[in-house]
Amino acid sequence: SQQGEEDPQALSIQEGENATMNCSYKTSINNLQWYRQNSGRGLVHLILIRSNEREKHSGRLRVTLDTSKKSSSLLITASRAADTASYFCAPNSGAGSYQLTFGKGTKLSVIP
Amino acid sequence: GAVVSQHPSWVICKSGTSVKIECRSLDFQATTMFWYRQFPKQSLMLMATSNEGSKATYEQGVEKDKFLINHASLTLSTLTVTSAHPEDSSFYICSARSGAGETQYFGPGTRLLVL
């Protein structure tokens, strides 16, 4: 499995603003997943985008994938204080046992 | 759906004792379960992958005799930290995936403090 690299490492925005975080990876993938971790908790799966998809929406989340640039972005629109968390991307080659490797994540702080 | 539970949520133990952490998939059958460890302000580090009915595969640098993993059923995996030491204090998180699923569903984590 390969590790995604999230950018920025930290992001602070006002409630109501949009938050964009990026993920880069190194080798070809079958899909890429985004997860959220609230402080002191386990991870919550947010969205999975396949290598043949360019954009996917789920509620206030929009994920894009550019396989030519080996990058993905997660956009959270109209952010809320409850969105405060760390966000991780996980590129998945789909081979073997579907192991996921997590990077340092983007720590998002939404200020009320 | 896809709920994973962990028990206990936190545990304090004395150095030298063993601690068992349970990970259960509540509403699906987990053919594969993963165990992670997370130190403060760091990312999750995969410790081992376990498939139901077979031996766990440990990541490099993880001592299999210290971190015993059992995945005896499709809904339960256990991690036993044997002869725990203060440096084993960490946040342990499990995840599970079903046979055809690409998504991992995570438990809420277990915080271990070894005195």
Side-chain angles (χ1 to χ4, degrees), chain B residues 1 8 57 99:
Chain B
T57 302

Coordinates of all heavy atoms in Angstrom, one line a residue, chain B residues 1 8 57 99:
Chain B
G1 N -25.4 1.4 8.9 CA -24.7 0.1 9.0 C -23.2 0.2 9.1 O -22.7 1.3 9.2
P8 N -11.9 -2.6 25.8 CA -12.5 -1.4 26.4 C -12.2 -0.2 25.6 O -11.4 -0.2 24.7 CB -11.8 -1.4 27.8 CG -10.5 -2.0 27.5 CD -10.7 -3.1 26.4
T57 N -0.7 -11.1 9.7 CA 0.5 -10.6 9.1 C 0.9 -9.3 9.7 O 0.2 -8.3 9.7 CB 0.2 -10.4 7.6 OG1 -0.3 -11.6 7.0 CG2 1.5 -9.9 6.9
G99 N -15.9 -9.0 2.8 CA -15.2 -9.7 1.8 C -14.9 -8.9 0.5 O -13.8 -8.9 0.0

